[in-house]
Amino acid sequence: LLINLIQVLLGTGEAGKTSLLNALIGLDNPLNTKSQRTIHIEIREFELNRAENGQPPVKIKTYDFGGQETYALGQSQYFDNGAMYILVVNADETNAQVFIAHLQRLQAMAPNAVVLVVLSKIDLLKTEKELQDKVEWIRKQIQNFNVDAEDAVLKKVERKQIQNFSANAKDAASTLEDNQIRHRRPIPTNIITLSVKTEPAMAKKRILNEIQNLLLGTPNLPLFRSVGMKLPMSWLEFISFIESLRIHGPNDYSNLDKKMIELNKKNMELTVDAMHDDEPSKDKEVYDDEPSEDKEEPCFQLLPNFLARLCEKGGYNDTANQKQTDYDGVPYPYIRKEKLTNAWISYVERQDTENKEEDESTGILTDVLDLMKAQGDVVIYGDLVFLDPAFSAFVMKALTNHTMTKDTLEKSQTFKDYVSDPSCPCDYGKLIKSFSNFFKHGEVNIEVLKYLFRNLPIDSDDYDRILRMLVDTFAIFLSTTELDSSNGTHPVVLFNLPNKPDYKTIQDKWPSVCPKDEYHYEVRFEFPLGCPSSLAGHFAASVHKLGICLSAHINGALILVKESKSKIYARLEQDEAKVGGYKGFLSLAIRSHTENLHKVDKSNFWRTVQFLESEKKEKYQGLIYRKMLLCPQCIKEDIISTYEWDDEICTECSEDLDAKNIFGNRSTFTETVHSDIMNSNRNNTATTQVIAHILATEKRNVLLSGGEAKTPLVMMSARFNKDKYEAMARALASELRKKGVNVYVVDAGFGDTFGDKTIYGMYNMVAMICFCSPNYGQKTAAIYSSFGELKCAAENGITLVPIKMGDVWPPVPPEDTGGGFLGPAQNKFVFSPDLVYN
């Protein structure tokens, strides 16, 4: 039986979350000092002993969230309806928004989760009355939040019913999404009070008693979906295989098999013990296949000795004083899915198991990985499986370390030793300059990452995959954050952007009153329960790619659109005037020099709408918002008048308005938006460009400090449509290879990833041959294309060798997929008249 629980600690910085966790684990000195504040996230686990209730122990994996606001930007992937959340409120807190902000995230990302509310550090309160007043204040704030949530849900359903105008409108409103929101679990108003400083044992007892009561009293909660689940022996064997991989890796067959013999023996002993406990019949069998309705599986209990194996040295590290940014966990903390699959199949083949087919083995792998992911035993990003979940957090810690500044870096002996080492790939002055840009506005390059990741066991061949994870979670994105954009685009770490806008620059570039010669169009996304801070940061980051960034902070960006000369200002606005102080909206405003918006501006608007819808679908299933338009006519009179998206009359000026007249018909832009939008499945050109920017450094021949030097190559860029042009391009590549030129042609075989091979070529290339057939450079819906390759090469200063294959120069490919002519425009820009072609 699986007895696993995921627990998430929420709360502002210095609320006492880590001290509480230390007490739950049972440390003698649980108090955390200010210098030990959590960086980004700590993943630790402990065991809840339930022997006195005649129950097996519970393994509780805890995500201890760093409370600084910027950390929220990289924590969204850890939210799950199946976890239990402990919201820790500091006893001296006077601003409700501080803890309500965490409820906003929780409501949006895990609306049905179980929550415990804890008032910590009650030793700071002098009298019993102060304690009761504080508890009542928190309770009132939570009650208001619950009322607002219920009201928002009802209004959402009512709007849907009105829009449907049919007898079955109720059915139309009762979608899976709506049911998740409508049946949300209210935040409890019973507050647990404790002080780890004065009564650590009592603090531990109160929390564990609450967990125990939940386990015994509400077995059907989604929190406990894996509690009591019966496992087949083959599944338990694969779990042991993962444990063995953490220690020995996939290639050390001898030690891997020895470890598996040891673990399988222990598993069998546990199985026999559990079967005896259940008083099985004499002919009870141990099945080695998946559960079925016809058979009753033996009960495999994760008993203390099995749990201890997961926590032994070489497993998860619970040392309280470990350096938070120096990983010292398992030798093999992650593995590619392909390598994991091959290692498992190889192991199965080495065993005397004639009845196990390869399909069965891979099926077990998929099913058990899903289970282990759900209970927090592994983390999966793309084709990387983090065997130690803590390792994925360490990657993020390196970018979000709030204790590292330019001053502390220059004084650091570690940094001095790193730079003075003969193997260091860059000198002190260059690295300091790179870090100055990193601390100032988040600009990151490979040299900065080499230092930040110096203690992480990342294989050089997997660096692009690690970067893809960071891009997919918006930790890194592409921007031009300096006013002087002559250096072109560059990757930026979101966490290092300023917390507040540069008001002087904003006022200069975006006056509070729209100039007379410009037209102001604005849509506001209003959130009745407040906008989650992580969504605001990702929203602002998503618009950076739309043009040149004139000013940026974590929750906002001012962009100049090159094609239309319009400006876009995307930002989070908090409306402090409303009750509770947590209402707010995301604003997307466009100022145009023409009354009718340029086609690019309309497309950018729909990209933003699609971005929010994609984020809601992927991460924020409980998010409630509505689109509101500002009346353009009222803005001319300096009057702010908002109206519903579907309304056609402004209530202020009675102007006849239609959103479609301003932003166009959505269907016109749908295909373009879907092919280009950055959503949670961001395997697209934008992601490829970010990775290529970072890796295209130092002549693109060294990937990682101490890594293997890469052989420079010449990449062949062409349209591979299985036509005569493709045949000619491949023939040219073959002839050049015969003459000793290292030509690289992307050619993904069975099981290969086309995108990864394209990234490999763009990273290693020192020149690119452009096989310019008449349709070369067309912007299509394809993720990897000649358009993306040419754009990346041009922006990174790669030498181009164009081969003219048509009558027209430069080539004029067909219209872009979804409309527009960015393909021909880019060709005209890149293949300038002074560029010689063959």
Side-chain angles (χ1 to χ4, degrees):
L1 285 174
L2 282 180
I3 312 292
N4 295 282
L5 204 59
I6 295 179
Q7 174 180 275
V8 179
L9 291 174
L10 300 171
T12 189
E14 301 184 66
K17 301 183 297 297
T18 303
S19 295
L20 176 57
L21 177 56
N22 290 340
L24 293 175
I25 291 174
L27 297 185
D28 293 334
N29 183 18
L31 290 181
N32 220 38
T33 65
K34 193 169 184 177
S35 62
Q36 295 174 315
R37 286 186 301 172
T38 303
I39 299 173
H40 181 57
I41 185 174
E42 282 288 307
I43 302 178
R44 302 159 72 188
E45 64 182 50
F46 63 96
E47 181 182 319
L48 170 60
N49 192 322
R50 302 193 297 165
E52 61 183 27
N53 295 319
Q55 299 289 331
V58 178
K59 181 179 71 173
I60 301 179
K61 186 180 295 294
T62 304
Y63 297 154
D64 180 10
F65 281 8
Q68 280 68 25
E69 185 176 354
T70 53
Y71 290 159
L73 299 169
Q75 294 170 343
S76 58
Q77 62 266 33
Y78 296 102
F79 279 81
D80 190 291
N81 264 327
M84 180 184 70
Y85 297 82
I86 299 180
L87 174 62
V88 182
V89 182
N90 199 330
D92 62 2
E93 186 58 69
T94 59
N95 182 2
Q97 173 58 21
V98 168
F99 60 87
I100 290 295
H102 297 288
L103 296 183
Q104 292 170 356
R105 285 200 291 163
L106 195 56
Q107 163 65 32
M109 288 184 273
N112 298 309
V114 175
V115 181
L116 299 179
V117 181
V118 171
L119 177 62
S120 67
K121 301 183 181 181
I122 61 173
D123 53 280
L124 298 176
L125 303 174
K126 305 298 183 183
T127 66
E128 181 66 23
K129 185 178 185 307
E130 284 187 38
L131 174 60
Q132 294 304 320
D133 288 346
K134 181 64 70 171
V135 169
E136 187 58 34
W137 175 70
I138 295 173
R139 182 180 289 119
K140 183 177 180 181
Q141 302 301 322
I142 293 176
Q143 287 174 340
N144 290 341
F145 183 84
N146 285 333
V147 170
D148 287 345
E150 185 68 23
D151 183 59
V153 169
L154 290 175
K155 287 183 177 179
K156 176 180 173 66
V157 175
E158 287 172 4
R159 285 198 301 271
K160 272 207 167 185
Q161 291 173 344
I162 292 172
Q163 291 166 5
N164 279 282
F165 286 115
S166 63
N168 63 344
K170 271 191 175 180
D171 295 334
S174 300
T175 62
L176 175 61
E177 172 194 332
D178 285 332
N179 280 326
Q180 287 179 331
I181 297 174
R182 291 165 65 188
H183 300 139
R184 59 176 291 277
R185 184 174 287 107
I187 308 300
T189 54
N190 55 309
I191 314 299
I192 303 170
T193 61
L194 53 84
S195 171
V196 174
K197 181 178 180 179
T198 59
E199 295 182 299
M202 180 57 69
K204 175 180 180 179
K205 183 178 180 180
R206 287 178 178 173
I207 297 298
L208 295 186
N209 280 347
E210 287 291 335
I211 297 175
Q212 180 79 298
N213 291 336
L214 288 170
L215 283 166
L216 293 174
T218 50
N220 295 321
L221 289 175
L223 168 68
F224 311 119
R225 61 190 175 197
S226 63
V227 173
M229 180 186 293
K230 293 184 177 182
L231 291 183
M233 193 67 181
S234 56
W235 285 34
L236 196 58
E237 183 179 24
F238 181 77
I239 292 174
S240 297
F241 183 73
I242 291 293
E243 182 183 347
S244 302
L245 280 180
R246 291 177 179 135
I247 301 171
H248 299 295
N251 300 321
D252 187 354
Y253 294 161
S254 176
N255 285 320
L256 188 66
D257 291 350
K258 287 179 182 178
K259 186 67 175 177
M260 285 299 296
I261 292 173
E262 172 193 339
L263 296 182
N264 285 335
K265 182 179 179 181
K266 290 183 178 180
N267 291 340
M268 186 57 67
E269 291 172 356
L270 295 175
T271 303
V272 173
D273 290 343
M275 290 171 63
H276 286 318
D277 291 341
D278 287 346
E279 297 182 356
S281 60
K282 292 182 180 180
D283 59 348
K284 183 81 172 182
E285 297 182 10
V286 177
Y287 301 112
D288 191 31
D289 54 8
E290 295 190 11
S292 70
E293 297 179 359
D294 301 323
K295 303 176 183 178
E296 181 178 354
E297 283 282 317
C299 173
F300 305 126
Q301 297 181 347
L302 297 184
L303 298 178
N305 55 339
F306 183 80
L307 286 168
R309 296 206 305 269
L310 291 175
C311 299
E312 66 186 1
K313 185 171 177 57
Y316 297 105
N317 194 325
D318 273 336
T319 305
N321 295 322
Q322 83 174 79
K323 295 180 180 178
Q324 289 195 46
T325 56
D326 292 342
Y327 180 77
D328 61 353
V330 298
Y332 295 89
Y334 76 94
I335 188 173
R336 293 190 208 172
K337 280 184 182 178
E338 181 184 5
K339 287 185 178 180
L340 173 59
T341 302
N342 292 338
W344 171 243
I345 292 175
S346 176
Y347 164 74
V348 171
E349 290 175 347
R350 294 196 301 273
Q351 312 309 307
D352 295 327
T353 52
E354 298 179 0
N355 61 325
K356 281 192 177 179
E357 300 292 336
E358 181 174 322
D359 289 345
E360 179 187 354
S361 299
T362 54
I364 291 172
L365 180 149
T366 301
D367 293 338
V368 183
L369 274 184
D370 287 343
L371 175 64
M372 296 184 75
K373 179 183 177 182
Q375 62 192 30
D377 286 331
V378 298
V379 172
I380 301 175
Y381 280 108
D383 63 347
L384 290 183
V385 178
F386 289 90
L387 306 176
D388 180 1
F391 186 72
S392 64
F394 271 87
V395 172
M396 201 71 76
K397 282 174 185 285
L399 296 176
T400 61
N401 186 357
H402 65 270
T403 66
M404 186 176 68
T405 64
K406 186 173 182 291
D407 184 54
T408 59
L409 184 73
E410 291 177 334
K411 294 178 180 177
S412 167
Q413 188 60 46
T414 301
F415 182 72
K416 294 176 182 177
D417 293 342
Y418 176 84
V419 177
S420 61
D421 191 301
S423 64
C424 179
C426 118
D427 60 57
Y428 179 85
K430 182 177 180 182
L431 197 52
I432 283 292
K433 183 178 180 180
S434 294
F435 267 105
S436 294
N437 292 332
F438 176 71
F439 292 124
K440 183 180 179 182
H441 50 68
E443 182 177 349
V444 65
N445 58 29
I446 190 64
E447 305 303 341
V448 170
L449 289 180
K450 286 177 188 177
Y451 179 77
L452 296 178
F453 294 164
R454 67 193 181 282
N455 293 324
L456 300 180
I458 300 175
D459 188 275
S460 60
D461 290 337
D462 295 327
Y463 224 66
D464 61 336
R465 291 170 172 82
I466 295 293
L467 290 173
R468 182 172 293 280
M469 177 187 76
L470 296 174
V471 173
D472 287 353
T473 55
F474 276 106
I476 297 177
F477 63 96
L478 208 59
S479 179
T480 54
T481 53
E482 292 182 303
L483 294 179
D484 179 9
S485 60
S486 59
N487 293 327
T489 55
H490 51 256
V492 169
V493 173
L494 179 58
F495 309 100
N496 275 29
L497 290 179
N499 288 323
K500 302 293 183 182
D502 181 348
Y503 294 107
K504 183 178 180 181
T505 300
I506 294 295
Q507 183 59 31
D508 179 48
K509 302 294 182 181
W510 188 276
S512 54
V513 177
C514 180
K516 296 296 183 182
D517 60 343
E518 295 182 7
Y519 297 85
H520 184 108
Y521 300 100
E522 182 174 351
V523 61
R524 292 179 175 178
F525 304 92
E526 293 188 350
F527 303 84
L529 297 180
C531 177
S533 54
S534 53
L535 177 62
H538 297 165
F539 174 79
S542 71
V543 304
H544 278 248
K545 65 171 186 163
L546 303 181
I548 299 172
C549 186
L550 304 177
S551 180
H553 59 286
I554 283 184
N555 290 331
L558 178 59
I559 306 295
L560 172 64
V561 182
K562 291 181 286 187
E563 295 89 345
S564 65
K565 306 303 180 185
S566 299
K567 293 176 185 175
I568 296 177
Y569 191 18
R571 66 199 185 277
L572 169 67
E573 291 286 351
Q574 295 283 14
D575 190 349
E576 299 293 342
K578 293 190 177 181
V579 179
Y582 53 82
K583 308 298 173 62
F585 58 86
L586 290 175
S587 168
L588 181 77
I590 302 174
R591 285 186 179 174
S592 170
H593 293 285
T594 58
E595 186 172 3
N596 294 322
L597 284 177
H598 191 281
K599 186 176 182 179
V600 170
D601 295 327
K602 294 178 181 179
S603 179
N604 286 337
F605 166 77
W606 287 113
R607 281 189 176 93
T608 307
V609 172
Q610 178 68 33
F611 169 79
L612 280 178
E613 292 175 352
S614 298
E615 288 294 284
K616 175 177 170 58
K617 180 180 179 181
E618 298 287 339
K619 296 179 183 177
Y620 302 90
Q621 291 87 356
L623 188 70
I624 299 176
Y625 70 90
R626 59 178 183 169
K627 297 193 293 288
M628 302 292 291
L629 285 174
L630 267 65
C631 174
Q633 302 301 324
C634 290
I635 289 176
K636 293 179 180 179
E637 305 299 325
D638 198 21
I639 298 173
I640 302 299
S641 174
T642 61
Y643 61 98
E644 291 272 7
W645 177 262
D646 295 311
D647 292 344
E648 296 184 0
I649 302 293
C650 173
T651 56
E652 185 71 28
C653 67
S654 300
E655 185 74 20
D656 187 5
L657 299 171
D658 187 345
K660 294 178 182 178
N661 293 335
I662 301 174
F663 299 107
N665 195 318
R666 177 171 183 164
S667 60
T668 305
F669 302 94
T670 299
E671 189 173 1
T672 303
V673 168
H674 277 289
S675 68
D676 192 44
I677 192 68
M678 296 204 315
N679 51 37
S680 57
N681 298 313
R682 298 174 180 86
N683 298 320
N684 53 26
T685 305
T687 302
T688 303
Q689 290 171 355
V690 176
I691 296 173
H693 271 76
I694 295 175
L695 299 184
T697 308
E698 295 295 308
K699 296 182 180 179
R700 303 160 181 83
N701 63 345
V702 176
L703 180 62
L704 189 59
S705 179
E708 179 184 357
K710 303 292 183 181
T711 303
L713 54 81
V714 177
M715 184 171 179
M716 176 68 76
S717 175
R719 292 294 302 274
F720 295 110
N721 293 328
K722 300 188 181 301
D723 55 12
K724 66 176 183 179
Y725 295 111
E726 177 179 348
M728 295 168 69
R730 294 188 180 279
L732 174 61
S734 178
E735 289 300 316
L736 289 172
R737 290 192 190 106
K738 292 177 182 178
K739 296 182 179 296
V741 180
N742 185 22
V743 178
Y744 180 79
V745 181
V746 176
D747 191 9
F750 180 76
D752 291 334
T753 304
F754 189 87
D756 290 342
K757 287 186 171 291
T758 302
I759 292 173
Y760 173 85
M762 289 192 294
Y763 156 58
N764 285 282
M765 67 181 175
V766 293
M768 189 171 82
I769 298 175
C770 304
F771 204 81
C772 297
S773 56
N775 62 351
Y776 180 85
Q778 182 185 11
K779 191 175 189 302
T780 68
I783 294 173
Y784 302 97
S785 64
S786 57
F787 177 87
E789 292 166 355
L790 182 61
K791 181 177 177 64
C792 179
E795 290 180 347
N796 284 280
I798 299 296
T799 300
L800 299 177
V801 182
I803 308 295
K804 179 183 176 185
M805 296 302 299
D807 297 330
V808 180
W809 185 257
V812 181
E815 181 180 1
D816 303 344
T817 301
F821 294 92
L822 289 179
Q826 178 172 263
N827 284 353
K828 184 176 181 179
F829 175 76
V830 175
F831 299 125
S832 57
D834 58 345
L835 181 63
V836 179
Y837 59 81
N838 293 311

